[in-house]
């Protein structure tokens, strides 16, 4: 009986390796996402399609580089999903699997949304500036919808962390709060025209603390 129970709860991936991989991937994707969004926001002018089109055509290589950065972020999301699964599978393998697939699904949806950035970059120089702006807006909308899956993933991770006993419980609580922030924003944008509350901008602390804990404490698991 003891042997069977142990076999069911033994992680497939060493906890130390899973924690270090997840932490390193989270750090890398945080840097890449921050730089990529900074570049995108510097080129996109809200409410001015013509200026947005001119900016993108004038700095097309920079715009394409930001799209490449987002692609790398999506790939790193899959790595993070693998690492967090290995870290949390001993708590509840079934829920850890669901959480991992939710993040993989989010990464796939985010990657699909990035096709709109390629469409914006490939718009002919003499084309309608509105097409460029619409493509960038479609990317943003696609990402907003994808964040529903990310919020669900984060809530599951927070619950698993809370129950783990080897990751600080407050991080789990803060992760679930962060998840609710993403879900409120995503559904707010789906349900309310002109929604711009950005609740997730105030509830992300749990994500930062999890990354810091993985990088600092993960090596000692």
């Amino acid at each position: 009986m003891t042997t069977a129970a142990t076999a069911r709860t033994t992680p497939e991936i060493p906890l130390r390796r899973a924690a270090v991989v997840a932490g390193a991937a989270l750090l890398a994707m945080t840097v890449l996402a921050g730089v990529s969004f900074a570049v995108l926001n510097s080129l996109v002018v809200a409410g001015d399609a013509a200026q947005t089109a001119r900016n993108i055509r004038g700095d097309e290589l920079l715009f394409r580089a930001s799209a490449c950065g987002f692609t790398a972020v999506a790939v790193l999301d899959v790595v993070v999903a693998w690492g967090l699964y290995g870290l949390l599978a001993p708590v509840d393998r079934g829920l850890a699997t669901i959480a991992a697939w939710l993040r993989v699904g989010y990464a796939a949806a985010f990657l699909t949304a990035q096709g709109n950035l390629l469409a914006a970059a490939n718009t002919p120089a003499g084309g309608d500036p509105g097409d460029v702006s619409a493509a960038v807006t479609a990317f943003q909308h696609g990402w907003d919808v994808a964040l529903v899956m990310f919020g669900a993933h984060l809530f599951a991770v927070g619950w698993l962390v809370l129950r783990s006993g080897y990751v600080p419980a407050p991080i789990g609580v803060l992760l679930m709060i962060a998840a609710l922030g993403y879900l409120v924003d995503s559904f707010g944008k789906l349900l309310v025209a002109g929604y711009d509350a950005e609740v997730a901008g105030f509830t992300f602390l749990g994500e930062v603390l999890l990354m810091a804990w993985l990088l600092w404490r993960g090596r000692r698991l």
Side-chain angles (χ1 to χ4, degrees):
M1 180 69 70
T2 301
T3 302
T6 302
R8 285 196 300 270
T9 57
T10 299
E12 297 174 0
I13 306 167
L15 291 181
R16 180 183 302 175
R17 183 189 306 168
V20 170
V21 168
L26 281 169
L27 179 60
M29 66 181 293
T30 298
V31 174
L32 274 172
V35 172
S36 297
F37 273 113
V39 170
L40 184 63
N41 291 335
S42 71
L43 298 174
V44 175
V45 180
D48 193 337
Q51 186 59 52
T52 296
R54 283 194 296 270
N55 290 345
I56 290 174
R57 288 163 184 161
D59 286 301
E60 183 177 337
L61 182 59
L62 189 62
F63 181 76
R64 289 182 181 273
S66 71
C68 289
F70 288 132
T71 301
V73 167
V75 173
L76 287 169
D77 266 309
V78 176
V79 177
V80 172
W82 177 87
L84 292 180
Y85 168 80
L87 178 70
L88 300 171
V91 182
D92 185 328
R93 192 175 303 278
L95 185 56
T97 300
I98 292 172
W101 278 112
L102 281 169
R103 187 153 195 151
V104 171
Y106 158 74
F110 183 45
L111 198 59
T112 300
Q114 290 169 39
N116 293 293
L117 296 181
L118 184 60
N122 289 338
T123 302
D128 184 355
D131 292 341
V132 177
S133 182
V136 174
T137 300
F139 160 73
Q140 181 65 53
H141 288 170
W143 184 50
D144 289 337
V145 173
L147 283 173
V148 173
M149 281 188 287
F150 182 76
H153 154 80
L154 208 59
F155 194 89
V157 169
W159 177 249
L160 289 166
V161 166
L162 188 62
R163 294 176 53 200
S164 69
Y166 48 88
V167 183
I171 293 179
V173 174
L174 290 171
L175 284 173
M176 289 189 283
I177 292 173
L180 293 176
Y182 285 113
L183 292 171
V184 167
D185 283 344
S186 294
F187 283 109
K189 291 173 182 177
L190 288 170
L191 297 171
V192 181
Y195 177 92
D196 61 355
E198 299 298 337
V199 176
F202 300 93
T203 60
F204 63 88
L205 179 60
E207 297 176 84
V208 176
L209 291 178
L210 176 64
M211 179 179 67
W213 185 88
L214 290 169
L215 293 171
W216 172 66
R217 185 69 177 83
R219 297 172 300 166
R220 305 175 187 176
L221 285 175

